[in-house]
Amino acid sequence: MRIASKLAIAWRDDERRPQAIRIKSLSSGLWSRLMAIFSSSSSEPSGTGTRAWILHGLVLGSAVAAAAAGGYAALRRFGKFRSRAVGIIPARFNSSRFQGKPLVPILGKPMIQRTWERAKLASTLDHVVVATDDEKIAECCRGFGADVIMTSESCQNGTERCYEALQKLKRNYDIVVNIQGDEPLIEPEIIDGVVQVLQRTPDAVFGTAVTSLKPEDGPDPNRVKCIVDKFGYAIYFSRGLIPYNKSGKVNPQFPYLLHLGIQSYDSKFLRIYPQLPPTPLQLEEDLEQLKVLENGYKMKVIKVQHDAHGVDTPEDVEKIETLMRQRNIL
């Protein structure tokens, strides 16, 4: 009982320190009642001290929880929580919708170069690499100065390609950002945003971004839609319009959300992801992020202003080039 009492006193004293990192998992009223029972149990014979041992465990468990929370808070305080981030740009030549897409010229430069140059402007990334299974893409990227990691052709999606690239990196990273190679106008601030959201949200292992969906893009299956809860965690992604109303028509007054391709992962989770079997919703929608949600992991979503979109079809190239001319990005 002496150890438990000391723990209780230490925790109580810690609450009085103005600069202490602390957590209180019990209400003050319940805590007082527990302490009263705890004190009375000390006078019981050793053979009837069951309550004392239970309370000993409660106090010890609470102290451990406080220490763990304090450790996390200390990491946050000194900037060491998920501090190192790498940006990986997955790129493959064979695409069902647009063959050779990473190498298509965008105002005179390969699209993969445009994306890489934008990613290099992000302040939160310690390193940026291109991950590809195609030697033509690799040669092109090395030509403009990018670091390249060769990955296998068996990767089913960009997340698996990021995982394989992570295994081959010489340094350890806490956060991996999957930067879609077909986003030549991705803002560096969005990249920084999906890094910072994981640094601020310890229960999330996956971060991503959305922007407002234009009503005319509602029926387009190439524009992935997203719905979130009131705390900013993802509920669902779909190629169809979500939410869907009874009229079956796009409601121009509703704030639909368009999913942007960029994704960030806790590196420990990324090592688990390939081991998770495909899930029904993931396969039906052909959206890899649904496997994360179906397995019960939390995904934090940030909303940003972003009026461009990725290059999904050859027709999108002209739209992107028009936007670049308007913004004087040459």
Side-chain angles (χ1 to χ4, degrees):
M1 295 304 300
R2 188 178 304 165
I3 295 174
S5 298
K6 288 181 179 179
L7 283 170
I9 293 169
W11 192 12
R12 183 189 62 202
D13 290 343
D14 185 63
E15 291 259 82
R16 295 171 179 167
R17 290 185 292 163
Q19 300 300 322
I21 300 171
R22 56 187 183 262
I23 184 170
K24 192 171 184 179
S25 59
L26 298 171
S27 69
S28 57
L30 179 58
W31 179 258
S32 299
R33 290 196 297 274
L34 283 173
M35 287 299 97
I37 297 171
F38 183 85
S39 299
S40 65
S41 67
S42 63
S43 61
E44 294 178 0
S46 58
T48 59
T50 303
R51 284 186 300 167
W53 282 108
I54 292 173
L55 287 165
H56 184 166
L58 283 171
V59 174
L60 182 59
S62 298
V64 170
Y72 162 68
L75 286 173
R76 289 286 302 277
R77 182 179 178 184
F78 294 105
K80 295 180 181 178
F81 181 69
R82 291 175 174 168
S83 60
R84 290 188 56 80
V86 59
I88 300 178
I89 306 174
R92 63 190 183 100
F93 190 86
N94 294 319
S95 171
S96 59
R97 290 179 294 180
F98 195 168
Q99 186 87 351
K101 182 167 62 171
L103 301 181
V104 66
I106 304 288
L107 292 185
K109 291 183 180 180
M111 181 165 60
I112 189 71
Q113 181 177 353
R114 293 284 184 185
T115 304
W116 178 81
E117 289 174 347
R118 301 291 287 177
K120 292 286 286 184
L121 297 175
S123 62
T124 55
L125 297 182
D126 297 285
H127 191 35
V128 178
V129 301
V130 175
T132 185
D133 59 3
D134 186 87
E135 191 55 46
K136 294 186 291 295
I137 294 176
E139 183 179 355
C140 172
C141 292
R142 294 188 189 105
F144 58 74
D147 288 336
V148 178
I149 295 179
M150 298 303 296
T151 54
S152 67
E153 296 181 0
S154 62
C155 295
Q156 297 297 308
N157 50 52
T159 301
E160 290 189 9
R161 201 172 301 281
C162 285
Y163 162 75
E164 188 173 324
L166 178 66
Q167 303 302 103
K168 297 181 179 182
L169 288 171
K170 296 179 180 178
R171 302 194 66 175
N172 294 324
Y173 295 93
D174 307 304
I175 294 174
V176 177
V177 184
N178 178 347
I179 305 167
Q180 300 296 308
D182 57 7
E183 286 273 357
L185 286 181
I186 185 70
E187 287 92 344
E189 294 79 10
I190 295 178
I191 298 174
D192 291 336
V194 297
V195 171
Q196 291 162 353
V197 76
L198 283 188
Q199 292 172 335
R200 296 193 305 263
T201 317
D203 63 339
V205 298
F206 193 115
T208 192
V210 296
T211 192
S212 297
L213 176 74
K214 297 175 182 177
E216 60 268 26
D217 288 335
D220 189 346
N222 293 320
R223 304 289 180 256
V224 176
K225 296 81 178 176
C226 173
I227 51 175
V228 300
D229 66 19
K230 65 180 182 179
F231 302 107
Y233 291 93
I235 296 175
Y236 194 67
F237 296 84
S238 180
R239 295 186 181 278
L241 184 67
I242 52 173
Y244 193 79
N245 59 51
K246 290 189 293 185
S247 72
K249 299 178 182 179
V250 175
N251 177 2
Q253 305 303 318
F254 189 85
Y256 298 102
L257 298 176
L258 171 68
H259 180 230
L260 303 178
I262 189 167
Q263 299 170 161
S264 60
Y265 324 96
D266 178 281
S267 62
K268 295 183 179 65
F269 167 74
L270 186 57
R271 292 183 172 92
I272 296 172
Y273 178 88
Q275 302 170 26
L276 300 174
T279 54
L281 295 176
Q282 173 204 2
L283 295 174
E284 182 65 20
E285 296 263 16
D286 190 21
L287 295 174
E288 59 188 283
Q289 58 269 32
L290 289 178
K291 182 166 77 167
V292 180
L293 297 179
E294 286 184 86
N295 278 281
Y297 292 97
K298 286 199 170 186
M299 184 184 305
K300 196 66 185 290
V301 180
I302 61 170
K303 186 177 180 183
V304 299
Q305 296 295 324
H306 183 69
D307 58 1
H309 55 71
V311 177
D312 297 309
T313 65
E315 292 73 28
D316 291 328
V317 173
E318 185 177 349
K319 298 176 184 177
I320 291 294
E321 289 184 331
T322 299
L323 281 172
M324 292 177 69
R325 291 189 185 97
Q326 291 172 353
R327 299 178 185 182
N328 199 30
I329 302 175
L330 304 174

